[in-house]
Amino acid sequence: MYKGRGAQIQVKNKFLMHEYVQEHLEGIDEYDEDAPKTKYIKIFPKTIVNKVTSPDVGMEYSLNPYQGCEHGCIYCYARNSHEYWGYNAGLDFERVILYKENAPELLEKQFQNPRWTPRTIVLSGNTDCYQPIERKLKITRKLLEIFLQYKHPVGIITKNVIVSRDIDILGPLADLNLIGLHFSLTSLDEKVRRKLEPRTATAKQKLKTIEKLANRGIPVSIMIGPVIPGLNDHEIPEIMKSAANAGARSAGFTMVRLNGQIGQVFENWVPQAFPDRAEKILNQIKGAHNGKLNDSRFGMRMRGNGRMVQSIHRMFELSKAKYFKDIPHRLPLRTDLFVRTSKGQLGLF
């Protein structure tokens, strides 16, 4: 397997009539450790805030400073979106990262629009806003500074411990009830984690980060996303117990859904990563989606169905009642503090 990568193949982009194929030369592997590393490409969008119309994801607006994700999570639903940029859902998704350097100025422009009504904007509705290149580019940090300056509610979905770098901004946002942070925690088993999401932090590091954030008063929930039957579904109680002990306030989960080209990427990966249980994993995923790797119907695609799925939902609810029962329900993020100004930064003072 290609070390440090989730996908092990390139797959065809359904939007392209032609595709570029490089013949393999003996002794040369385009994707070995000596090959060129991840490429980072600057792009220049005209807008940055996206209206979300899906009824399944629980957000009204999203903002993605990056396209593609170097974390390499094999199951990531965002892989298909890379096809819109002329790349593919396989190795391209992990090795070609597009970044929006002008995202902060576009966000401020959005807030200065007199027609804008404040609603929670979620960073990472598609790809992780705290992926590795954020250490250098600091686009997410600059966005958070603007959210704080304008006192605008923001949500974050991430699985990267880099988020703790920005506690100096997240803390004041939390003090005003302007931040909700969801931390992805998929497995406590390092053998599974290294194959499932190869360029993410260890579970131990993630739990320490949750504790660090919680100690500052920053509300953290966990997302077991996704639950993959036959691979990590049995871990649900222990994941929730560990997260609650670290200070997480709540938990959620989604069932794996291998839509579009992700099914091809996953089917190629699983016998290499887990040859002893690959057939079981694939059959149980199909069992959760009416005999297919994916069921795209709203209301079903992220929940799954069938007796096995009902058991998973029941196990989750029992674990949530056990480990999060004494944690008070959190109030919705505030929108009444929003600083409405058309004078740019000067209007904030």
Side-chain angles (χ1 to χ4, degrees), residues 84-99:
Y84 294 104
W85 298 90
Y87 300 102
N88 68 65
L91 281 160
D92 274 0
F93 178 76
E94 305 172 34
R95 290 209 167 191
V96 184
I97 308 301
L98 313 177
Y99 65 95

Side-chain angles (χ1 to χ4, degrees), residues 53 70 78 98 118 130 198 207 216 218 227 297 302 304:
T53 58
E70 201 172 0
L98 313 177
Y130 277 108
L207 290 168
R216 173 54 184 87
I218 300 164
V227 169
R297 292 177 298 165
M302 299 172 76

Side-chain angles (χ1 to χ4, degrees), residues 71-211:
H71 284 153
C73 304
I74 193 64
Y75 50 75
C76 183
Y77 63 83
R79 286 182 175 274
N80 290 316
S81 65
H82 226 41
E83 295 184 322
Y84 294 104
W85 298 90
Y87 300 102
N88 68 65
L91 281 160
D92 274 0
F93 178 76
E94 305 172 34
R95 290 209 167 191
V96 184
I97 308 301
L98 313 177
Y99 65 95
K100 306 170 185 178
E101 194 174 61
N102 64 337
E105 62 185 82
L106 291 175
L107 179 63
E108 186 161 22
K109 183 178 179 181
Q110 181 85 25
F111 289 167
Q112 291 172 8
N113 186 333
R115 294 189 298 273
W116 173 250
T117 300
R119 294 287 187 274
T120 300
I121 298 173
V122 178
L123 302 183
S124 306
N126 196 41
T127 55
D128 203 319
C129 63
Y130 277 108
Q131 57 182 283
I133 192 60
E134 169 62 19
R135 289 188 184 275
K136 176 181 178 181
L137 297 180
K138 299 182 180 179
I139 299 174
T140 297
R141 180 175 177 84
K142 294 172 185 175
L143 289 166
L144 290 173
E145 289 174 341
I146 292 172
F147 279 109
L148 180 57
Q149 289 167 351
Y150 281 81
K151 294 183 173 57
H152 192 286
V154 56
I156 294 176
I157 305 171
T158 187
K159 60 183 58 181
N160 200 317
V161 298
I162 303 174
V163 64
S164 63
R165 176 201 65 187
D166 295 335
I167 282 182
D168 60 317
I169 305 174
L170 298 172
L173 283 167
D175 293 340
L176 298 171
N177 193 24
L178 292 173
I179 180 72
L181 199 153
H182 296 267
F183 210 95
S184 175
L185 189 59
T186 309
S187 177
L188 301 178
D189 185 334
E190 274 305 291
K191 292 181 180 179
V192 172
R193 197 276 311 166
R194 282 197 297 268
K195 294 177 179 179
L196 195 62
E197 38 187 52
R199 295 201 174 198
T200 60
T202 66
K204 185 176 181 179
Q205 289 174 314
K206 291 178 181 178
L207 290 168
K208 285 184 177 179
T209 299
I210 291 172
E211 184 176 10

Side-chain angles (χ1 to χ4, degrees), residues 9 28 77 94 99-100 106 119 197 203 208 224 238 245 280 324 328 331 338:
I9 57 171
I28 298 177
Y77 63 83
E94 305 172 34
Y99 65 95
K100 306 170 185 178
L106 291 175
R119 294 287 187 274
E197 38 187 52
K208 285 184 177 179
I224 309 174
E238 193 61 31
N245 289 339
K280 175 184 177 182
F324 294 93
L331 295 174
F338 179 58

